[in-house]
Amino acid sequence: MTNVKSICVFCGASDGKDPRHMENAIAFGKMMAERGITLVYGGGRIGLMGAVADGVMKNGGNVVGIIPQHLDDIEVGHTGLSELIICKSMHERKVEMFKRSDAFVTLAGGLGSLDEAFEAMTLRQLGIHDTPMVFFNALGYWDKCFEMIDSIIDEGFARPSHKNLYTVANTLDEIFEQLAAEPAPRFDPREKLF
């Protein structure tokens, strides 16, 4: 994929226990800004979400945050973004994030990040989009998730080829290398999504 202009980042609304996750989020945001890539994300100001957004904004980049009204009402929305879109529901949030993105990258995160990443992966499996997906596996964070996927395949509930729905990067540079190496989508996901 030679022309990634926007990346949807799924990541935690918490800092996590290991400060290196926060450092990676900030550094990834900076690297996106340096490459002129727009960040599309869940619109939060806290945790890794806020850190990656701040990393982009502090380095002159563009950030589109998309947050449901109920989360903005409790003041977790990031007010210092290029654009903050307030939507009605978590589902609307995902649809809007998916529509605006040329790639998906999942950093460390919790249940919400899993939900977003697995929905994106399922939609790719179903041919609803063909957007590249990368899990950033810093510190082996997603190892147990990949073991679970292997187990699902071993039990016959997924095909071995489903592991081709995503790639795994162990360094920040590898994320961009993998996106550059990914074949161009067969269709424009913005035209087909939902």
Side-chain angles (χ1 to χ4, degrees):
M1 174 169 237
T2 57
N3 200 13
V4 174
K5 294 180 182 173
S6 61
I7 295 175
C8 181
V9 175
F10 306 133
C11 60
S14 298
D15 293 0
K17 290 183 176 179
D18 192 317
R20 290 175 289 182
H21 291 302
M22 182 67 72
E23 293 164 11
N24 284 327
I26 295 166
F28 185 59
K30 180 177 188 244
M31 293 169 82
M32 288 180 63
E34 290 170 347
R35 289 164 171 79
I37 298 172
T38 295
L39 167 65
V40 177
Y41 85 117
R45 65 173 172 74
I46 57 177
L48 300 189
M49 291 175 68
V52 72
D54 289 342
V56 174
M57 293 300 297
K58 287 178 181 174
N59 290 282
N62 187 49
V63 178
V64 177
I66 303 163
I67 192 166
Q69 184 70 59
H70 73 277
L71 291 179
D72 194 55
D73 287 346
I74 60 171
E75 299 180 348
V76 297
H78 198 310
T79 57
L81 306 178
S82 312
E83 182 179 4
L84 181 64
I85 299 167
I86 300 174
C87 58
K88 293 179 184 174
S89 68
M90 297 292 279
H91 177 72
E92 276 187 29
R93 174 203 232 177
K94 285 189 280 191
V95 170
E96 195 61 34
M97 288 192 308
F98 291 6
K99 282 182 183 178
R100 291 172 172 259
S101 303
D102 296 325
F104 300 113
V105 172
T106 305
L107 306 179
L111 297 178
S113 301
L114 276 174
D115 170 60
E116 293 164 334
F118 272 80
E119 182 166 345
M121 198 177 337
T122 300
L123 294 175
R124 192 174 193 198
Q125 172 193 341
L126 296 172
I128 294 170
H129 74 80
D130 194 25
T131 307
M133 298 189 61
V134 179
F135 280 88
F136 179 49
N137 196 33
L139 313 174
Y141 185 81
W142 293 110
D143 284 347
K144 290 188 182 348
C145 178
F146 304 139
E147 289 172 17
M148 182 188 71
I149 292 171
D150 288 339
S151 177
I152 291 169
I153 292 167
D154 290 344
E155 292 292 333
F157 288 99
R159 297 184 189 107
S161 63
H162 290 158
K163 290 181 76 164
N164 297 328
L165 297 170
Y166 62 92
T167 58
V168 179
N170 294 307
T171 68
L172 293 171
D173 285 327
E174 281 180 20
I175 295 172
F176 297 103
E177 291 166 10
Q178 290 182 12
L179 291 176
E182 179 92 15
R186 294 176 302 236
F187 52 83
D188 183 347
R190 295 181 190 113
E191 292 177 8
K192 191 168 181 180
L193 187 63
F194 300 103

